[in-house]
Amino acid sequence: MIEVQNLSKRYGTTVAVDGLSFTIRPGQVTGFLGPNGAGKSTTMRMMLGLDRPTGGRVLIDGEPYRLLPEPLRRVGAMLEASAVHGGRSAYGHLLWLAQTNRIPRARVREVLAMVGLESVAGRRAGGFSLGMTQRLGIAGALLGDPPVLLFDEPVNGLDPEGVVWIRNLLKGLAAEGRVVFVSSHLMSETALTAEHLIVIGRGRLLADTTVRRFVEANSRSYVRVRTPDPERMRDALVRAGVRVERAADGSLEAYGTEAAELGELAAANGLTVHEVSAQRASLEEAFMELTGDTVEYQAGGGRR
Ligand SMILES: Nc1ncnc2c1ncn2[C@@H]1O[C@H](COP(=O)(O)OP(=O)(O)OP(=O)(O)O)[C@@H](O)[C@H]1O
């Protein structure tokens, strides 16, 4: 379990993390979401004792990271995948990590196989693609077989096959009873992987909820109707007890009904329709709505 307690971090006048408190439990993937600059990486660095909090603390299974004996066996992390000595081979890099943490040499081959880098184990890590570098970072996190895993934007640079692979890997690690904490700035990707969600903006907690609840609360579904006679269509819908709104483009949005029902209603009233389609506002839209006021830089608006 990871407990973040009233955590803050200030860099000069910048407040990167502002009084964050939440708990991450084992056995499920927890997504850590926020727009660029929200404070995700800073929070993760403080979890690992790489940055000192201005206030508050993080406990990992009841203790601060710096007091954990053999930390690589307790917490695995992939923060900056590029933090690899470019001259070393993938095998050499992992072996060095293993040896400095009293992890048996045989484990290096195991994790190379787990991340699919066996065939390039002898190649210089400096020549790796972004996706391969990510996989090497993940191998490093898994090396000590730790019960707690932190990943900062692990899908960055992966191709679609790699994205599916990491999704399954993270779920599998959580199903084994581990704490799996994964940052992302993509809501839709996180919804496919995580069960729990922590959303932050400008260093503050915006949501601590299950993905299911977030999806239910935020995916607006409705039926869009385009018709040359929106007034009569609207009257017919209202008479049938359907809540209806006029969209900016002139179409109607009908809530709490189905497309088929709406088509029949139109036919029964002798109305022409050009479109009847089921719509669902995307999770990405819901996420942008939640974090909109906290975005550091916005197109056209500059810094807010
Ligand atoms: N070492 C530092 N010195 C000064 N400011 C910093 C430092 N590290 C982070 N910041 C600032 O703290 C804020 C939070 O940054 P952080 O990198 O934690 O956000 P993030 O959510 O991880 O963003 P991204 O998705 O872009 O990586 C930003 O305003 C950033 O500019």
Side-chain angles (χ1 to χ4, degrees):
M1 186 157 89
I2 304 179
E3 293 161 273
V4 173
Q5 300 175 338
N6 205 16
L7 193 68
S8 297
K9 179 70 189 179
R10 219 175 291 126
Y11 295 107
T13 55
T14 306
V15 182
V17 174
D18 194 2
L20 274 186
S21 295
F22 56 85
T23 299
I24 313 161
R25 294 174 207 290
Q28 58 182 9
V29 177
T30 300
F32 190 31
L33 276 151
N36 291 131
K40 304 180 296 292
S41 302
T42 304
T43 301
M44 290 176 123
R45 282 203 306 275
M46 288 193 283
M47 288 176 166
L48 293 165
L50 296 172
D51 237 337
R52 184 182 283 272
T54 312
R57 60 181 185 169
V58 181
L59 299 179
I60 295 179
D61 291 332
E63 283 180 282
Y65 182 87
R66 66 190 158 74
L67 296 185
L68 297 178
E70 302 192 317
L72 224 60
R73 292 173 186 268
R74 301 285 295 276
V75 185
M78 190 208 72
L79 292 200
E80 276 179 55
S82 54
V84 170
H85 191 302
R88 284 204 178 111
S89 68
Y91 181 84
H93 166 70
L94 293 171
L95 184 63
W96 167 76
L97 269 183
Q99 284 174 340
T100 47
N101 286 274
R102 299 196 309 122
I103 292 165
R105 173 182 287 258
R107 178 69 182 158
V108 172
R109 289 274 168 216
E110 265 174 45
V111 294
L112 280 166
M114 283 171 81
V115 303
L117 288 181
E118 269 171 316
S119 60
V120 292
R123 274 179 37 194
R124 239 173 33 85
F128 277 8
S129 68
L130 187 54
M132 286 157 85
T133 308
Q134 290 289 83
R135 285 173 189 256
L136 183 56
I138 293 164
L142 297 175
L143 200 59
D145 199 16
V148 175
L149 286 155
L150 311 180
F151 298 101
D152 197 3
E153 305 266 359
V155 301
N156 261 3
L158 294 182
D159 54 20
E161 188 205 336
V163 172
V164 173
W165 168 76
I166 188 116
R167 225 179 262 159
N168 292 330
L169 178 80
L170 297 175
K171 286 185 192 172
L173 292 164
E176 289 167 5
R178 296 175 215 254
V179 167
V180 181
F181 190 52
V182 189
S183 81
S184 175
H185 56 270
L186 290 177
M187 180 67 225
S188 45
E189 175 53 38
T190 304
L192 291 171
T193 318
E195 275 177 67
H196 201 89
L197 267 189
I198 305 288
V199 185
I200 65 170
R202 294 209 169 176
R204 296 209 182 132
L205 189 70
L206 298 176
D208 176 352
T209 181
T210 64
V211 170
R212 181 196 294 248
R213 248 183 274 141
F214 184 86
V215 171
E216 276 170 11
N218 291 293
S219 18
R220 219 161 37 100
S221 48
Y222 59 91
V223 181
R224 180 192 290 150
V225 192
R226 283 185 203 284
T227 162
D229 202 348
E231 292 309 322
R232 278 184 59 212
M233 186 76 214
R234 191 217 295 260
D235 289 346
L237 284 165
V238 170
R239 274 199 308 277
V242 174
R243 184 168 77 78
V244 59
E245 281 175 21
R246 186 89 180 248
D249 65 358
S251 65
L252 299 176
E253 294 178 355
Y255 292 87
T257 182
E258 303 290 327
E261 212 177 300
L262 231 145
E264 281 166 23
L265 190 79
N269 285 276
L271 288 160
T272 303
V273 288
H274 293 161
E275 179 188 345
V276 179
S277 58
Q279 301 289 323
R280 178 168 271 252
S282 77
L283 278 180
E284 223 59 69
E285 284 166 350
F287 174 56
M288 285 195 290
E289 214 160 281
L290 177 66
T291 59
D293 293 342
T294 69
V295 174
E296 273 203 310
Y297 298 94
Q298 289 195 326
R303 195 172 181 130
R304 305 214 310 177

